[in-house]
Amino acid sequence: MILNPDEFLRTHADSWISRRAREFPVINVHALDVAAPPGSLFAALSDHGNLSPAWYWRALFAVRGLAGKLFRWDPGVEWHGPEPLVPGNHYAFFLIEHVAAPDRDAHSPFAPPFELGVSVENQLTLALMSYLIAPIGTGSRVYNVTCALFKGRTGRTYWRVIRPFHNAL
């Protein structure tokens, strides 16, 4: 489901993405309710296969990657293999900036919601993305929040083209 950004920002005002969101003119918030506890869902984020779970999403990522090379949108941006979810590492082509993760220790300083915050910058956009996982009933609500600043007319056109894919992903 697509959510109103203002509602998310109010409800999760203490999250990393909410504190940074006001810097960006575009805020896109999606949510999905899942019948699993927040800790297990956060652990699933470390599997890059979950970024593109089906062949058609992998094909779209490949087409986007080729377009980025062809039009020189992505100088210096590269896809990284699996790395631990630690700030300074990479999550696919994103830089990990923030992690509020469950700890195996029963006295963990992190309680839900758990959050993975990442960024990427290329010729078209500066973007932050967050996966925030909060308990809801006996399961969890997974939020995917994207904040973006699209650069110039080409960046704004790029957003109009990719937004349907972004919403579907």
Side-chain angles (χ1 to χ4, degrees):
M1 68 185 125
I2 299 173
L3 300 179
N4 178 329
D6 293 329
E7 178 184 327
F8 174 85
L9 296 174
R10 249 189 332 275
T11 305
H12 298 285
D14 291 338
S15 68
W16 172 81
I17 197 73
S18 291
R19 291 189 306 268
R20 299 282 311 271
R22 302 293 179 207
E23 303 168 27
F24 296 87
V26 173
I27 304 171
N28 210 18
V29 181
H30 298 91
L32 178 68
D33 292 342
V34 180
S40 66
L41 291 176
F42 193 88
L45 284 177
S46 64
D47 180 358
H48 283 198
N50 289 327
L51 277 177
S52 53
W55 69 267
Y56 47 88
W57 291 117
R58 289 188 293 278
L60 282 173
F61 271 114
V63 168
R64 169 55 185 86
L66 289 172
K69 289 185 187 314
L70 179 66
F71 295 108
R72 299 184 181 154
W73 292 335
D74 304 321
V77 175
E78 68 179 79
W79 191 279
H80 296 264
E83 296 182 10
L85 298 180
V86 175
N89 282 355
H90 292 88
Y91 188 65
F93 54 86
F94 295 101
L95 174 66
I96 299 172
E97 290 195 19
H98 172 78
V99 179
D103 194 344
R104 293 183 185 153
D105 180 359
H107 303 291
S108 172
F110 298 113
F114 302 126
E115 186 175 23
L116 172 64
V118 298
S119 67
V120 67
E121 184 169 10
N122 61 25
Q123 297 295 326
L124 302 175
T125 185
L126 167 60
L128 299 181
M129 187 174 72
S130 173
Y131 290 99
L132 188 135
I133 303 171
I136 182 167
T138 59
S140 303
R141 179 163 288 168
V142 180
Y143 297 93
N144 175 259
V145 183
T146 301
C147 300
L149 170 63
F150 293 97
K151 300 174 182 177
R153 185 173 49 219
T154 305
R156 289 187 299 277
T157 301
Y158 171 73
W159 177 237
R160 285 195 279 291
V161 170
I162 69 155
R163 187 170 193 171
F165 299 103
H166 186 267
N167 286 340
L169 184 61

